[in-house]
């Protein structure tokens, strides 16, 4: 069998981003050419209209944007999210007292699990899954607890033309039943049924018009309309493909940092490598549209 390390045709993905015009009201320092940008020169408590336009552009160009040294109250975090759309209510996760849209992200030495420990896009089991998520980490472990992000446009573009043709028009079932019992340690009572939905495997981003791979190990259960063994084989291939580090960046958190990712074209994976230490913050999630 040929080693996956051997290639004589250049990189798997030949991605040459446009040399964008400079930003005027913020700075954007790219983490990699393919995904991630750290935004500077902005206080998220006080954003001008021009800065808002440039934040939209930075998100579209970088897919996930990061901010350092931000000092937001819970209300200011929610207000920042509302500037991008209606807020999404998580079907299962616990929230901050009095703020149902402020999801608790927390793991410590007694936690049975940590949020997001596996590749996923947020709540893709919803018929209208969230457009974006804004995670504000206030307390970091001494080391570890990074989050990895992967570019699903790039994962799509790096597929062979044969595979793109095969996947075009197929849908997959996404299911949130794994939430059952997941937050029992917070006293969360299970719903009778968690959301589920069928979504296109290749979705078109409503803002950029670009195609992105839209299946994830966290929520996708099977591909509709093909034999189950074939579905399992194809999904396993796609999960392995999208986890290629070529499509990724890795964010090292510091206290009072924020990551804002676009769930329509990004998957993420949170590392729980810091036990027995504590990592905590809150996530505001922005509602989205039905994928097409
Ligand atoms: C999540 O929203 O999936 C959690 C991500 C993280 O804690 O880094």
């Amino acid at each position: 069998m040929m080693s996956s390390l051997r290639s004589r045709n250049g990189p798997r993905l030949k991605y040459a981003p446009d040399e964008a015009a400079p930003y005027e009201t913020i700075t954007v320092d790219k983490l990699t050419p393919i995904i991630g940008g750290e935004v500077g020169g902005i206080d998220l408590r006080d954003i001008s209209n021009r800065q808002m336009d440039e934040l939209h552009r930075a998100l579209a160009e970088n897919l996930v944007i990061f901010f350092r040294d931000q000092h937001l109250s819970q209300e200011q975090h929610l207000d920042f999210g509302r500037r991008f759309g209606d807020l999404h209510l998580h079907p299962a996760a616990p929230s901050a007292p009095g703020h149902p849209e402020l999801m608790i992200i927390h793991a410590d030495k007694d936690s049975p699990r940590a949020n997001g420990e596996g590749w996923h896009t947020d709540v893709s089991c919803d018929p209208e899954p969230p457009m974006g998520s804004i995670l504000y980490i206030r307390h970091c472990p001494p080391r570890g607890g990074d989050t990895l992000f992967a570019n699903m446009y790039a994962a799509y573009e790096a597929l062979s033309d044969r595979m793109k043709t095969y996947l075009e028009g197929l849908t997959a079932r996404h299911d949130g039943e794994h939430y059952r019992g997941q937050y029992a340690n917070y006293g969360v009572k299970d719903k009778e049924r968690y959301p589920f939905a069928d979504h296109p495997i290749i979705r078109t981003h409503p803002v950029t018009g670009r195609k992105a791979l839209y299946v994830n190990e966290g929520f996708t259960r099977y591909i509709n309309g093909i034999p189950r063994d074939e579905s399992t084989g194809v999904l396993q291939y796609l999960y392995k493909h999208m986890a290629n580090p070529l499509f990724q960046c890795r964010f090292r958190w510091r206290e009072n940092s924020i990551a804002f990712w676009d769930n329509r074209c990004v998957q993420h994976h949170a590392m729980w490598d810091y036990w027995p230490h504590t990592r905590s913050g809150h996530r505001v999630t922005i509602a989205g549209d039905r994928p097409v």
Side-chain angles (χ1 to χ4, degrees):
M1 200 164 76
M2 190 167 17
S3 159
S4 63
L5 297 178
R6 274 179 50 191
S7 163
R8 302 259 159 85
N9 299 312
R12 178 66 185 259
L13 177 71
K14 290 183 177 143
Y15 179 75
D18 290 341
E19 279 315 318
Y23 290 86
E24 288 169 12
T25 59
I26 55 175
T27 60
V28 179
D29 186 15
K30 281 183 177 292
L31 270 72
T32 79
I34 289 175
I35 182 168
E38 188 169 318
V39 175
I42 189 165
D43 177 344
L44 297 183
R45 295 171 296 193
D46 181 21
I47 309 173
S48 68
N49 291 340
R50 183 77 188 110
Q51 283 178 318
M52 268 309 286
D53 291 344
E54 294 208 315
L55 286 181
H56 278 287
R57 179 182 147 202
L59 185 65
E61 287 179 0
N62 297 282
L63 288 59
V64 51
I65 50 180
F66 306 104
F67 306 88
R68 299 287 189 188
D69 302 319
Q70 298 294 326
H71 298 277
L72 305 184
S73 65
Q74 295 190 341
E75 287 75 14
Q76 287 165 331
H77 186 185
L78 288 160
D79 286 346
F80 178 53
R82 284 193 192 97
R83 295 192 71 161
F84 292 87
D86 293 337
L87 299 186
H88 172 272
L89 282 179
H90 197 280
S95 54
H99 293 303
E101 308 102 329
L102 204 54
M103 176 179 165
I104 294 172
I105 300 287
H106 180 94
D108 62 33
K109 73 177 181 18
D110 299 318
S111 299
R113 61 180 291 281
N115 293 90
E117 213 204 342
W119 284 108
H120 66 290
T121 51
D122 291 324
V123 203
S124 69
C125 57
D126 264 3
E128 296 186 342
M131 162 260 162
S133 302
I134 304 172
L135 176 61
Y136 183 21
I137 292 291
R138 291 175 194 272
H139 186 83
C140 287
R143 276 169 295 284
D146 296 357
T147 309
L148 282 68
F149 295 90
N151 178 334
M152 291 300 108
Y153 299 132
Y156 170 74
E157 283 156 23
L159 292 170
S160 69
D161 288 343
R162 291 272 190 167
M163 183 56 91
K164 287 179 187 157
T165 303
Y166 172 79
L167 295 175
E168 198 65 53
L170 286 174
T171 62
R173 170 60 56 96
H174 297 236
D175 200 322
E177 265 308 304
H178 65 277
Y179 286 137
R180 192 163 300 286
Q182 195 161 293
Y183 297 104
N185 59 316
Y186 285 92
V188 171
K189 297 231 177 328
D190 276 319
K191 293 202 161 75
E192 208 166 295
R193 183 70 173 98
Y194 284 101
F196 62 94
D198 293 324
H199 297 309
I201 294 181
I202 308 301
R203 72 177 293 183
T204 303
H205 194 286
V207 176
T208 64
R210 295 174 67 191
K211 291 184 179 185
L213 192 55
Y214 195 68
V215 287
N216 70 85
E217 233 170 333
F219 291 94
T220 310
R221 297 292 163 258
Y222 54 84
I223 300 175
N224 293 303
I226 61 172
R228 202 51 74 85
D229 56 341
E230 182 177 331
S231 159
T232 304
V234 172
L235 287 174
Q236 286 309 317
Y237 168 71
L238 293 176
Y239 297 152
K240 181 163 181 281
H241 170 76
M242 58 73 42
N244 186 330
L246 183 60
F247 311 136
Q248 298 173 18
C249 70
R250 181 170 178 139
F251 185 60
R252 177 171 285 191
W253 292 91
R254 293 197 302 262
E255 289 180 6
N256 301 315
S257 301
I258 288 178
F260 181 178
W261 59 90
D262 185 334
N263 281 301
R264 301 167 294 190
C265 53
V266 171
Q267 294 199 33
H268 59 285
H269 181 316
M271 298 300 297
W272 194 16
D273 53 359
Y274 49 87
W275 188 91
H277 297 285
T278 300
R279 175 181 183 273
S280 65
H282 290 105
R283 192 180 91 195
V284 168
T285 311
I286 303 156
D289 302 328
R290 178 174 272 279
V292 288

